[in-house]
Amino acid sequence: MLYRILGLVVTVVAVSGADVCRLPSRLWCSSRKTADDCQVTQQCSAQDWGHETVAPPVDLVLYYESLCPFCKQFITDQLFPTFSKLGTDVLNITVLPFGNAEEYQEGNKWVFTCQHGKGECEGNLMATCALKTTSFNSTAYLPFINCMETQAKKHTIWPALLLNCAARNNVSHTDISSCMKSDEGNKLEHQMGVATKAEGVEYVPWIVVNGQHNNETQEAAQKDLFLLVCQSYTGIKPAPCTSVLSTDLKVSFKRSRKSKFAKKGHY
């Protein structure tokens, strides 16, 4: 869907070999890479790795706007921390900075009006140009966008923020600035708007997981995205997921027992 429109689906950083080996030993022969990481390749040599099937990563698309408080909270508290923990085989991320903006064409240019004012339009464009400058590589652009959202306020001086966040995250501020002044940057922001409208976004942040948006998924993502992604991934769970899934199982069991006892207390 969005991949065909903008080519924005990208992946996150890999899990280290040491983390993989925290998996139960029965899983060490599940793939050649896992066996190599855990230094048991010889012991696992009888395994038929030629017929391995790789589970698809969880696909997440975020529609947002740069000065939306709930967008800021989701990016800094949920999306970026989850991005930092999970590997490239587990999570694909797409972000589209447009949100509730409106646009109209004036000559060969698109003019944007944004929910939180002119400054938000500038922030949206900056984020869009960061995507372009990093070739839509989430390992490069998401730390920059996280920095943006951590610092962004209603009266943010965007050029100063650009210098700061670009320096911190090894992104070219001159390339982003040039993009923001260019016809290409203007057209790319328009494409963000086209994709946002096509999705039928009603509010932001608008979160789509594995091609689906509904109230249950939206609430789960905003409450605990890391848990949601770990639960949604159909492959062998990466090491960072094992503890959170174990804890969630124990909590669910306790709730179930409390529910049963509560029912016994009523006639």
Side-chain angles (χ1 to χ4, degrees), residues 26-74:
R26 61 185 172 82
L27 300 177
W28 288 357
C29 295
S30 59
S31 73
R32 186 181 300 275
K33 182 179 186 306
T34 301
D36 289 344
D37 288 339
C38 294
Q39 300 180 3
V40 290
T41 306
Q42 184 175 352
Q43 293 88 330
C44 295
S45 58
Q47 179 74 30
D48 183 8
W49 287 309
H51 294 88
E52 290 183 38
T53 57
V54 179
V58 177
D59 186 70
L60 185 145
V61 182
L62 171 65
Y63 299 83
Y64 81 104
E65 55 196 27
S66 62
L67 291 180
C68 160
F70 295 111
C71 298
K72 288 163 57 71
Q73 184 178 32
F74 177 71

mmCIF file of all heavy atoms in Angstrom, residues 26-74:
data_model
loop_
_atom_site.group_PDB
_atom_site.id
_atom_site.type_symbol
_atom_site.label_atom_id
_atom_site.label_comp_id
_atom_site.label_asym_id
_atom_site.label_seq_id
_atom_site.Cartn_x
_atom_site.Cartn_y
_atom_site.Cartn_z
ATOM 1 N N ARG A 26 16.684 -24.904 23.614
ATOM 2 C CA ARG A 26 15.994 -25.692 22.590
ATOM 3 C C ARG A 26 15.847 -24.914 21.287
ATOM 4 O O ARG A 26 15.543 -25.489 20.245
ATOM 5 C CB ARG A 26 14.610 -26.120 23.097
ATOM 6 C CG ARG A 26 13.680 -24.962 23.427
ATOM 7 C CD ARG A 26 12.376 -25.466 24.043
ATOM 8 N NE ARG A 26 11.565 -24.363 24.519
ATOM 9 C CZ ARG A 26 10.773 -23.625 23.766
ATOM 10 N NH1 ARG A 26 10.701 -23.888 22.450
ATOM 11 N NH2 ARG A 26 10.061 -22.646 24.282
ATOM 12 N N LEU A 27 16.062 -23.595 21.326
ATOM 13 C CA LEU A 27 15.919 -22.762 20.133
ATOM 14 C C LEU A 27 17.256 -22.445 19.470
ATOM 15 O O LEU A 27 17.289 -21.808 18.430
ATOM 16 C CB LEU A 27 15.200 -21.446 20.491
ATOM 17 C CG LEU A 27 13.797 -21.574 21.080
ATOM 18 C CD1 LEU A 27 13.261 -20.192 21.437
ATOM 19 C CD2 LEU A 27 12.869 -22.273 20.104
ATOM 20 N N TRP A 28 18.357 -22.888 20.045
ATOM 21 C CA TRP A 28 19.659 -22.502 19.532
ATOM 22 C C TRP A 28 19.925 -23.042 18.130
ATOM 23 O O TRP A 28 20.712 -22.481 17.388
ATOM 24 C CB TRP A 28 20.766 -22.977 20.476
ATOM 25 C CG TRP A 28 20.832 -22.191 21.756
ATOM 26 C CD1 TRP A 28 20.065 -21.117 22.101
ATOM 27 C CD2 TRP A 28 21.701 -22.441 22.854
ATOM 28 N NE1 TRP A 28 20.394 -20.673 23.360
ATOM 29 C CE2 TRP A 28 21.406 -21.464 23.854
ATOM 30 C CE3 TRP A 28 22.689 -23.383 23.114
ATOM 31 C CZ2 TRP A 28 22.072 -21.415 25.072
ATOM 32 C CZ3 TRP A 28 23.367 -23.331 24.322
ATOM 33 C CH2 TRP A 28 23.054 -22.354 25.288
ATOM 34 N N CYS A 29 19.279 -24.135 17.756
ATOM 35 C CA CYS A 29 19.482 -24.713 16.426
ATOM 36 C C CYS A 29 18.400 -24.275 15.440
ATOM 37 O O CYS A 29 18.290 -24.843 14.342
ATOM 38 C CB CYS A 29 19.503 -26.242 16.499
ATOM 39 S SG CYS A 29 20.893 -26.910 17.440
ATOM 40 N N SER A 30 17.616 -23.276 15.811
ATOM 41 C CA SER A 30 16.482 -22.877 14.973
ATOM 42 C C SER A 30 16.930 -22.234 13.664
ATOM 43 O O SER A 30 16.197 -22.240 12.683
ATOM 44 C CB SER A 30 15.564 -21.922 15.739
ATOM 45 O OG SER A 30 16.277 -20.774 16.150
ATOM 46 N N SER A 31 18.125 -21.659 13.636
ATOM 47 C CA SER A 31 18.662 -21.105 12.398
ATOM 48 C C SER A 31 20.182 -21.163 12.454
ATOM 49 O O SER A 31 20.776 -21.241 13.537
ATOM 50 C CB SER A 31 18.209 -19.654 12.196
ATOM 51 O OG SER A 31 18.874 -18.789 13.090
ATOM 52 N N ARG A 32 20.800 -21.117 11.284
ATOM 53 C CA ARG A 32 22.264 -21.135 11.250
ATOM 54 C C ARG A 32 22.843 -19.936 11.983
ATOM 55 O O ARG A 32 23.843 -20.050 12.696
ATOM 56 C CB ARG A 32 22.761 -21.168 9.804
ATOM 57 C CG ARG A 32 24.272 -21.338 9.682
ATOM 58 C CD ARG A 32 24.704 -21.329 8.228
ATOM 59 N NE ARG A 32 24.088 -22.411 7.483
ATOM 60 C CZ ARG A 32 24.559 -23.646 7.425
ATOM 61 N NH1 ARG A 32 25.660 -23.953 8.091
ATOM 62 N NH2 ARG A 32 23.945 -24.566 6.699
ATOM 63 N N LYS A 33 22.239 -18.749 11.810
ATOM 64 C CA LYS A 33 22.753 -17.540 12.460
ATOM 65 C C LYS A 33 22.683 -17.669 13.980
ATOM 66 O O LYS A 33 23.613 -17.316 14.697
ATOM 67 C CB LYS A 33 21.970 -16.301 12.003
ATOM 68 C CG LYS A 33 22.497 -15.009 12.610
ATOM 69 C CD LYS A 33 21.725 -13.806 12.121
ATOM 70 C CE LYS A 33 22.349 -12.509 12.631
ATOM 71 N NZ LYS A 33 22.506 -12.487 14.111
ATOM 72 N N THR A 34 21.543 -18.169 14.490
ATOM 73 C CA THR A 34 21.410 -18.348 15.930
ATOM 74 C C THR A 34 22.440 -19.342 16.442
ATOM 75 O O THR A 34 23.070 -19.121 17.484
ATOM 76 C CB THR A 34 19.994 -18.837 16.275
ATOM 77 O OG1 THR A 34 19.046 -17.882 15.799
ATOM 78 C CG2 THR A 34 19.820 -18.998 17.778
ATOM 79 N N ALA A 35 22.630 -20.426 15.706
ATOM 80 C CA ALA A 35 23.634 -21.420 16.104
ATOM 81 C C ALA A 35 25.032 -20.817 16.112
ATOM 82 O O ALA A 35 25.822 -21.056 17.039
ATOM 83 C CB ALA A 35 23.574 -22.619 15.163
ATOM 84 N N ASP A 36 25.352 -20.010 15.082
ATOM 85 C CA ASP A 36 26.663 -19.357 15.026
ATOM 86 C C ASP A 36 26.833 -18.404 16.205
ATOM 87 O O ASP A 36 27.876 -18.381 16.863
ATOM 88 C CB ASP A 36 26.815 -18.587 13.714
ATOM 89 C CG ASP A 36 26.965 -19.505 12.505
ATOM 90 O OD1 ASP A 36 27.251 -20.702 12.704
ATOM 91 O OD2 ASP A 36 26.780 -19.016 11.368
ATOM 92 N N ASP A 37 25.796 -17.595 16.467
ATOM 93 C CA ASP A 37 25.862 -16.623 17.565
ATOM 94 C C ASP A 37 26.069 -17.311 18.903
ATOM 95 O O ASP A 37 26.782 -16.807 19.780
ATOM 96 C CB ASP A 37 24.589 -15.782 17.613
ATOM 97 C CG ASP A 37 24.488 -14.790 16.464
ATOM 98 O OD1 ASP A 37 25.543 -14.474 15.871
ATOM 99 O OD2 ASP A 37 23.379 -14.333 16.149
ATOM 100 N N CYS A 38 25.431 -18.472 19.066
ATOM 101 C CA CYS A 38 25.511 -19.194 20.339
ATOM 102 C C CYS A 38 26.663 -20.192 20.389
ATOM 103 O O CYS A 38 26.808 -20.935 21.366
ATOM 104 C CB CYS A 38 24.188 -19.899 20.606
ATOM 105 S SG CYS A 38 22.820 -18.759 20.865
ATOM 106 N N GLN A 39 27.456 -20.221 19.294
ATOM 107 C CA GLN A 39 28.655 -21.060 19.226
ATOM 108 C C GLN A 39 28.328 -22.547 19.389
ATOM 109 O O GLN A 39 29.039 -23.293 20.064
ATOM 110 C CB GLN A 39 29.679 -20.604 20.277
ATOM 111 C CG GLN A 39 30.124 -19.159 20.090
ATOM 112 C CD GLN A 39 31.130 -18.703 21.124
ATOM 113 O OE1 GLN A 39 31.564 -19.475 21.970
ATOM 114 N NE2 GLN A 39 31.501 -17.446 21.050
ATOM 115 N N VAL A 40 27.232 -22.970 18.723
ATOM 116 C CA VAL A 40 26.850 -24.383 18.766
ATOM 117 C C VAL A 40 26.617 -24.909 17.347
ATOM 118 O O VAL A 40 25.856 -25.851 17.140
ATOM 119 C CB VAL A 40 25.579 -24.598 19.632
ATOM 120 C CG1 VAL A 40 25.881 -24.361 21.098
ATOM 121 C CG2 VAL A 40 24.438 -23.703 19.150
ATOM 122 N N THR A 41 27.277 -24.297 16.369
ATOM 123 C CA THR A 41 27.051 -24.668 14.965
ATOM 124 C C THR A 41 27.363 -26.134 14.713
ATOM 125 O O THR A 41 26.605 -26.836 14.035
ATOM 126 C CB THR A 41 27.921 -23.789 14.043
ATOM 127 O OG1 THR A 41 27.674 -22.410 14.344
ATOM 128 C CG2 THR A 41 27.578 -24.043 12.585
ATOM 129 N N GLN A 42 28.475 -26.622 15.270
ATOM 130 C CA GLN A 42 28.858 -28.019 15.042
ATOM 131 C C GLN A 42 27.822 -28.965 15.639
ATOM 132 O O GLN A 42 27.434 -29.963 15.023
ATOM 133 C CB GLN A 42 30.232 -28.292 15.646
ATOM 134 C CG GLN A 42 30.741 -29.710 15.350
ATOM 135 C CD GLN A 42 32.158 -29.916 15.852
ATOM 136 O OE1 GLN A 42 32.812 -28.981 16.287
ATOM 137 N NE2 GLN A 42 32.640 -31.152 15.785
ATOM 138 N N GLN A 43 27.357 -28.644 16.831
ATOM 139 C CA GLN A 43 26.369 -29.494 17.496
ATOM 140 C C GLN A 43 25.041 -29.492 16.744
ATOM 141 O O GLN A 43 24.276 -30.451 16.814
ATOM 142 C CB GLN A 43 26.146 -29.031 18.938
ATOM 143 C CG GLN A 43 27.353 -29.221 19.836
ATOM 144 C CD GLN A 43 28.300 -28.027 19.810
ATOM 145 O OE1 GLN A 43 28.402 -27.340 18.809
ATOM 146 N NE2 GLN A 43 28.966 -27.796 20.941
ATOM 147 N N CYS A 44 24.749 -28.389 16.040
ATOM 148 C CA CYS A 44 23.475 -28.248 15.330
ATOM 149 C C CYS A 44 23.594 -28.634 13.854
ATOM 150 O O CYS A 44 22.659 -28.415 13.086
ATOM 151 C CB CYS A 44 22.975 -26.810 15.419
ATOM 152 S SG CYS A 44 22.565 -26.256 17.084
ATOM 153 N N SER A 45 24.734 -29.178 13.448
ATOM 154 C CA SER A 45 25.015 -29.364 12.025
ATOM 155 C C SER A 45 24.020 -30.282 11.324
ATOM 156 O O SER A 45 23.882 -30.237 10.103
ATOM 157 C CB SER A 45 26.435 -29.898 11.837
ATOM 158 O OG SER A 45 26.595 -31.133 12.537
ATOM 159 N N ALA A 46 23.323 -31.122 12.055
ATOM 160 C CA ALA A 46 22.348 -32.030 11.431
ATOM 161 C C ALA A 46 21.048 -31.310 11.074
ATOM 162 O O ALA A 46 20.197 -31.864 10.387
ATOM 163 C CB ALA A 46 22.047 -33.197 12.368
ATOM 164 N N GLN A 47 20.904 -30.101 11.557
ATOM 165 C CA GLN A 47 19.679 -29.334 11.288
ATOM 166 C C GLN A 47 19.585 -29.008 9.795
ATOM 167 O O GLN A 47 20.573 -28.596 9.175
ATOM 168 C CB GLN A 47 19.689 -28.022 12.095
ATOM 169 C CG GLN A 47 18.497 -27.126 11.888
ATOM 170 C CD GLN A 47 17.261 -27.665 12.578
ATOM 171 O OE1 GLN A 47 17.361 -28.335 13.596
ATOM 172 N NE2 GLN A 47 16.102 -27.382 12.014
ATOM 173 N N ASP A 48 18.398 -29.162 9.210
ATOM 174 C CA ASP A 48 18.184 -28.835 7.794
ATOM 175 C C ASP A 48 17.824 -27.367 7.673
ATOM 176 O O ASP A 48 16.657 -26.989 7.666
ATOM 177 C CB ASP A 48 17.061 -29.715 7.216
ATOM 178 C CG ASP A 48 16.854 -29.455 5.723
ATOM 179 O OD1 ASP A 48 17.669 -28.716 5.139
ATOM 180 O OD2 ASP A 48 15.886 -29.987 5.167
ATOM 181 N N TRP A 49 18.858 -26.519 7.567
ATOM 182 C CA TRP A 49 18.610 -25.081 7.466
ATOM 183 C C TRP A 49 18.217 -24.657 6.061
ATOM 184 O O TRP A 49 17.816 -23.531 5.835
ATOM 185 C CB TRP A 49 19.851 -24.300 7.913
ATOM 186 C CG TRP A 49 20.073 -24.330 9.386
ATOM 187 C CD1 TRP A 49 19.168 -24.045 10.358
ATOM 188 C CD2 TRP A 49 21.289 -24.653 10.067
ATOM 189 N NE1 TRP A 49 19.732 -24.177 11.607
ATOM 190 C CE2 TRP A 49 21.045 -24.547 11.463
ATOM 191 C CE3 TRP A 49 22.561 -25.027 9.638
ATOM 192 C CZ2 TRP A 49 22.012 -24.790 12.426
ATOM 193 C CZ3 TRP A 49 23.533 -25.270 10.593
ATOM 194 C CH2 TRP A 49 23.260 -25.160 11.972
ATOM 195 N N GLY A 50 18.344 -25.557 5.115
ATOM 196 C CA GLY A 50 18.007 -25.219 3.730
ATOM 197 C C GLY A 50 16.531 -24.935 3.533
ATOM 198 O O GLY A 50 16.135 -24.354 2.529
ATOM 199 N N HIS A 51 15.703 -25.379 4.492
ATOM 200 C CA HIS A 51 14.265 -25.185 4.360
ATOM 201 C C HIS A 51 13.732 -24.218 5.418
ATOM 202 O O HIS A 51 12.577 -24.273 5.810
ATOM 203 C CB HIS A 51 13.535 -26.533 4.465
ATOM 204 C CG HIS A 51 13.861 -27.453 3.327
ATOM 205 N ND1 HIS A 51 14.937 -28.305 3.362
ATOM 206 C CD2 HIS A 51 13.253 -27.633 2.120
ATOM 207 C CE1 HIS A 51 14.990 -28.996 2.222
ATOM 208 N NE2 HIS A 51 13.987 -28.609 1.455
ATOM 209 N N GLU A 52 14.577 -23.343 5.881
ATOM 210 C CA GLU A 52 14.147 -22.355 6.863
ATOM 211 C C GLU A 52 13.105 -21.417 6.262
ATOM 212 O O GLU A 52 13.177 -21.037 5.109
ATOM 213 C CB GLU A 52 15.342 -21.494 7.323
ATOM 214 C CG GLU A 52 16.340 -22.236 8.177
ATOM 215 C CD GLU A 52 17.437 -21.298 8.637
ATOM 216 O OE1 GLU A 52 17.132 -20.133 8.944
ATOM 217 O OE2 GLU A 52 18.594 -21.719 8.656
ATOM 218 N N THR A 53 12.133 -21.074 7.072
ATOM 219 C CA THR A 53 11.153 -20.060 6.668
ATOM 220 C C THR A 53 11.290 -18.872 7.615
ATOM 221 O O THR A 53 11.394 -19.052 8.822
ATOM 222 C CB THR A 53 9.727 -20.611 6.721
ATOM 223 O OG1 THR A 53 9.451 -21.090 8.046
ATOM 224 C CG2 THR A 53 9.545 -21.748 5.725
ATOM 225 N N VAL A 54 11.320 -17.695 7.068
ATOM 226 C CA VAL A 54 11.491 -16.484 7.864
ATOM 227 C C VAL A 54 10.133 -15.830 8.069
ATOM 228 O O VAL A 54 9.409 -15.575 7.104
ATOM 229 C CB VAL A 54 12.451 -15.502 7.164
ATOM 230 C CG1 VAL A 54 12.597 -14.240 7.988
ATOM 231 C CG2 VAL A 54 13.805 -16.170 6.936
ATOM 232 N N ALA A 55 9.799 -15.569 9.316
ATOM 233 C CA ALA A 55 8.527 -14.912 9.613
ATOM 234 C C ALA A 55 8.582 -13.473 9.132
ATOM 235 O O ALA A 55 9.634 -12.817 9.205
ATOM 236 C CB ALA A 55 8.259 -14.951 11.107
ATOM 237 N N PRO A 56 7.480 -12.946 8.638
ATOM 238 C CA PRO A 56 7.478 -11.548 8.209
ATOM 239 C C PRO A 56 7.594 -10.623 9.408
ATOM 240 O O PRO A 56 7.102 -10.939 10.496
ATOM 241 C CB PRO A 56 6.110 -11.388 7.529
ATOM 242 C CG PRO A 56 5.252 -12.424 8.179
ATOM 243 C CD PRO A 56 6.165 -13.588 8.454
ATOM 244 N N PRO A 57 8.257 -9.501 9.244
ATOM 245 C CA PRO A 57 8.337 -8.541 10.350
ATOM 246 C C PRO A 57 6.988 -7.889 10.596
ATOM 247 O O PRO A 57 6.117 -7.860 9.724
ATOM 248 C CB PRO A 57 9.358 -7.511 9.842
ATOM 249 C CG PRO A 57 9.229 -7.582 8.356
ATOM 250 C CD PRO A 57 8.938 -9.014 8.023
ATOM 251 N N VAL A 58 6.815 -7.367 11.779
ATOM 252 C CA VAL A 58 5.635 -6.566 12.096
ATOM 253 C C VAL A 58 5.776 -5.244 11.349
ATOM 254 O O VAL A 58 6.824 -4.606 11.395
ATOM 255 C CB VAL A 58 5.523 -6.320 13.614
ATOM 256 C CG1 VAL A 58 4.332 -5.420 13.930
ATOM 257 C CG2 VAL A 58 5.410 -7.644 14.356
ATOM 258 N N ASP A 59 4.737 -4.862 10.657
ATOM 259 C CA ASP A 59 4.766 -3.628 9.866
ATOM 260 C C ASP A 59 3.984 -2.535 10.590
ATOM 261 O O ASP A 59 2.816 -2.721 10.944
ATOM 262 C CB ASP A 59 4.151 -3.876 8.487
ATOM 263 C CG ASP A 59 4.291 -2.666 7.577
ATOM 264 O OD1 ASP A 59 5.420 -2.378 7.172
ATOM 265 O OD2 ASP A 59 3.271 -2.012 7.289
ATOM 266 N N LEU A 60 4.628 -1.409 10.852
ATOM 267 C CA LEU A 60 3.985 -0.311 11.558
ATOM 268 C C LEU A 60 4.095 0.966 10.736
ATOM 269 O O LEU A 60 5.177 1.332 10.289
ATOM 270 C CB LEU A 60 4.626 -0.097 12.927
ATOM 271 C CG LEU A 60 3.967 0.964 13.819
ATOM 272 C CD1 LEU A 60 4.032 0.554 15.281
ATOM 273 C CD2 LEU A 60 4.592 2.349 13.640
ATOM 274 N N VAL A 61 2.955 1.624 10.528
ATOM 275 C CA VAL A 61 2.911 2.905 9.825
ATOM 276 C C VAL A 61 2.355 3.949 10.790
ATOM 277 O O VAL A 61 1.297 3.748 11.392
ATOM 278 C CB VAL A 61 2.031 2.832 8.565
ATOM 279 C CG1 VAL A 61 2.045 4.164 7.825
ATOM 280 C CG2 VAL A 61 2.492 1.710 7.649
ATOM 281 N N LEU A 62 3.068 5.050 10.936
ATOM 282 C CA LEU A 62 2.640 6.137 11.822
ATOM 283 C C LEU A 62 2.343 7.388 11.011
ATOM 284 O O LEU A 62 3.210 7.909 10.310
ATOM 285 C CB LEU A 62 3.741 6.451 12.844
ATOM 286 C CG LEU A 62 3.512 7.718 13.690
ATOM 287 C CD1 LEU A 62 2.285 7.563 14.593
ATOM 288 C CD2 LEU A 62 4.750 8.065 14.502
ATOM 289 N N TYR A 63 1.126 7.881 11.123
ATOM 290 C CA TYR A 63 0.728 9.175 10.564
ATOM 291 C C TYR A 63 0.719 10.162 11.726
ATOM 292 O O TYR A 63 0.054 9.930 12.743
ATOM 293 C CB TYR A 63 -0.669 9.091 9.942
ATOM 294 C CG TYR A 63 -0.795 8.111 8.798
ATOM 295 C CD1 TYR A 63 -0.999 6.752 9.044
ATOM 296 C CD2 TYR A 63 -0.706 8.531 7.474
ATOM 297 C CE1 TYR A 63 -1.111 5.834 8.001
ATOM 298 C CE2 TYR A 63 -0.822 7.628 6.421
ATOM 299 C CZ TYR A 63 -1.029 6.284 6.696
ATOM 300 O OH TYR A 63 -1.141 5.388 5.663
ATOM 301 N N TYR A 64 1.458 11.261 11.585
ATOM 302 C CA TYR A 64 1.578 12.179 12.716
ATOM 303 C C TYR A 64 1.825 13.597 12.225
ATOM 304 O O TYR A 64 1.972 13.853 11.027
ATOM 305 C CB TYR A 64 2.712 11.728 13.640
ATOM 306 C CG TYR A 64 4.101 12.136 13.197
ATOM 307 C CD1 TYR A 64 4.767 13.182 13.825
ATOM 308 C CD2 TYR A 64 4.758 11.479 12.146
ATOM 309 C CE1 TYR A 64 6.052 13.562 13.426
ATOM 310 C CE2 TYR A 64 6.028 11.851 11.749
ATOM 311 C CZ TYR A 64 6.669 12.899 12.396
ATOM 312 O OH TYR A 64 7.919 13.281 12.002
ATOM 313 N N GLU A 65 1.860 14.540 13.172
ATOM 314 C CA GLU A 65 2.231 15.924 12.886
ATOM 315 C C GLU A 65 3.188 16.396 13.967
ATOM 316 O O GLU A 65 3.134 15.923 15.109
ATOM 317 C CB GLU A 65 0.992 16.812 12.792
ATOM 318 C CG GLU A 65 0.087 16.768 14.006
ATOM 319 C CD GLU A 65 -1.295 17.343 13.743
ATOM 320 O OE1 GLU A 65 -1.755 17.313 12.591
ATOM 321 O OE2 GLU A 65 -1.924 17.819 14.714
ATOM 322 N N SER A 66 4.067 17.304 13.627
ATOM 323 C CA SER A 66 5.253 17.569 14.440
ATOM 324 C C SER A 66 4.990 18.201 15.801
ATOM 325 O O SER A 66 5.790 18.038 16.716
ATOM 326 C CB SER A 66 6.231 18.450 13.653
ATOM 327 O OG SER A 66 5.652 19.709 13.339
ATOM 328 N N LEU A 67 3.885 18.930 15.985
ATOM 329 C CA LEU A 67 3.638 19.590 17.268
ATOM 330 C C LEU A 67 2.442 19.007 18.019
ATOM 331 O O LEU A 67 2.003 19.582 19.010
ATOM 332 C CB LEU A 67 3.439 21.102 17.063
ATOM 333 C CG LEU A 67 4.689 21.881 16.645
ATOM 334 C CD1 LEU A 67 4.363 23.365 16.484
ATOM 335 C CD2 LEU A 67 5.822 21.707 17.663
ATOM 336 N N CYS A 68 1.948 17.879 17.568
ATOM 337 C CA CYS A 68 0.857 17.196 18.276
ATOM 338 C C CYS A 68 1.399 16.587 19.570
ATOM 339 O O CYS A 68 2.326 15.770 19.528
ATOM 340 C CB CYS A 68 0.269 16.114 17.379
ATOM 341 S SG CYS A 68 -0.660 14.841 18.247
ATOM 342 N N PRO A 69 0.864 16.962 20.743
ATOM 343 C CA PRO A 69 1.397 16.442 22.012
ATOM 344 C C PRO A 69 1.358 14.923 22.110
ATOM 345 O O PRO A 69 2.301 14.304 22.607
ATOM 346 C CB PRO A 69 0.478 17.080 23.065
ATOM 347 C CG PRO A 69 -0.086 18.295 22.409
ATOM 348 C CD PRO A 69 -0.220 17.949 20.961
ATOM 349 N N PHE A 70 0.275 14.313 21.634
ATOM 350 C CA PHE A 70 0.164 12.858 21.724
ATOM 351 C C PHE A 70 1.095 12.162 20.732
ATOM 352 O O PHE A 70 1.565 11.048 20.989
ATOM 353 C CB PHE A 70 -1.284 12.427 21.503
ATOM 354 C CG PHE A 70 -2.217 12.921 22.571
ATOM 355 C CD1 PHE A 70 -3.175 13.880 22.288
ATOM 356 C CD2 PHE A 70 -2.122 12.444 23.870
ATOM 357 C CE1 PHE A 70 -4.019 14.347 23.274
ATOM 358 C CE2 PHE A 70 -2.966 12.909 24.865
ATOM 359 C CZ PHE A 70 -3.922 13.870 24.571
ATOM 360 N N CYS A 71 1.367 12.810 19.610
ATOM 361 C CA CYS A 71 2.349 12.279 18.662
ATOM 362 C C CYS A 71 3.745 12.317 19.279
ATOM 363 O O CYS A 71 4.513 11.343 19.173
ATOM 364 C CB CYS A 71 2.342 13.085 17.368
ATOM 365 S SG CYS A 71 0.780 13.051 16.454
ATOM 366 N N LYS A 72 4.075 13.439 19.895
ATOM 367 C CA LYS A 72 5.368 13.587 20.556
ATOM 368 C C LYS A 72 5.553 12.486 21.601
ATOM 369 O O LYS A 72 6.598 11.846 21.689
ATOM 370 C CB LYS A 72 5.474 14.965 21.215
ATOM 371 C CG LYS A 72 5.644 16.115 20.247
ATOM 372 C CD LYS A 72 5.330 17.457 20.884
ATOM 373 C CE LYS A 72 6.140 17.760 22.105
ATOM 374 N NZ LYS A 72 7.558 18.043 21.796
ATOM 375 N N GLN A 73 4.505 12.275 22.396
ATOM 376 C CA GLN A 73 4.570 11.272 23.453
ATOM 377 C C GLN A 73 4.753 9.876 22.887
ATOM 378 O O GLN A 73 5.568 9.089 23.398
ATOM 379 C CB GLN A 73 3.293 11.331 24.298
ATOM 380 C CG GLN A 73 3.295 10.392 25.488
ATOM 381 C CD GLN A 73 2.034 10.527 26.322
ATOM 382 O OE1 GLN A 73 0.953 10.828 25.815
ATOM 383 N NE2 GLN A 73 2.165 10.324 27.627
ATOM 384 N N PHE A 74 4.025 9.560 21.824
ATOM 385 C CA PHE A 74 4.132 8.229 21.241
ATOM 386 C C PHE A 74 5.519 7.988 20.651
ATOM 387 O O PHE A 74 6.120 6.927 20.858
ATOM 388 C CB PHE A 74 3.072 8.026 20.158
ATOM 389 C CG PHE A 74 3.168 6.693 19.474
ATOM 390 C CD1 PHE A 74 2.824 5.531 20.139
ATOM 391 C CD2 PHE A 74 3.633 6.598 18.162
ATOM 392 C CE1 PHE A 74 2.938 4.288 19.522
ATOM 393 C CE2 PHE A 74 3.746 5.361 17.541
ATOM 394 C CZ PHE A 74 3.398 4.203 18.219
#
